[in-house]
Amino acid sequence: MDEYRAREVLRRSRQKIDGIDRDILDLIASRIALAREIAEAKEVLGMEILDPERELQIIERTRKIARENRIDENKLIELMKILMDLSKTEQKEMLRRQ
């Protein structure tokens, strides 16, 4: 690969990453919207926000996906824990506002 081609690959790859990042952020927003719906359902059903069994299922599924894709398992689980915390915080805030 020559320098011109390397710069072109870098530019195109970064553009694609920017698009993927946007998609990821949009998916996170969708996940939060669903978390709000879940909070409403949990309130009607008298359930707690925290669901350790569900969180374990998510972590195990994440672990499997990380292994299948040869992604650092610990980092991917850390990312999912952040997303779960974000959802729980949003659910708690939503219920507090009602």
Side-chain angles (χ1 to χ4, degrees), residues 5 7-17:
R5 172 109 171 91
R7 288 185 190 282
E8 186 60 24
V9 166
L10 185 63
R11 184 189 64 75
R12 272 196 326 243
S13 295
R14 284 180 173 168
Q15 281 181 329
K16 287 179 183 178
I17 285 174

Side-chain angles (χ1 to χ4, degrees), residues 33-54:
L34 290 169
R36 290 181 190 122
E37 289 181 19
I38 289 169
E40 287 183 67
K42 284 180 175 181
E43 184 178 36
V44 169
L45 297 170
M47 296 173 66
E48 296 292 322
I49 295 297
L50 181 62
D51 186 346
E53 185 176 320
R54 172 70 177 149

Side-chain angles (χ1 to χ4, degrees), residues 46-90:
M47 296 173 66
E48 296 292 322
I49 295 297
L50 181 62
D51 186 346
E53 185 176 320
R54 172 70 177 149
E55 289 186 18
L56 185 59
Q57 290 171 351
I58 292 169
I59 288 171
E60 288 306 313
R61 184 177 61 237
T62 301
R63 186 181 318 280
K64 182 177 183 252
I65 291 168
R67 288 177 182 161
E68 289 170 356
N69 291 283
R70 295 184 312 192
I71 299 171
D72 183 313
E73 192 176 312
N74 293 323
K75 292 292 184 188
L76 203 55
I77 289 170
E78 185 178 331
L79 177 60
M80 286 308 297
K81 285 181 177 181
I82 290 169
L83 292 174
M84 289 187 292
D85 286 345
L86 186 60
S87 293
K88 288 184 286 192
T89 298
E90 183 61 34

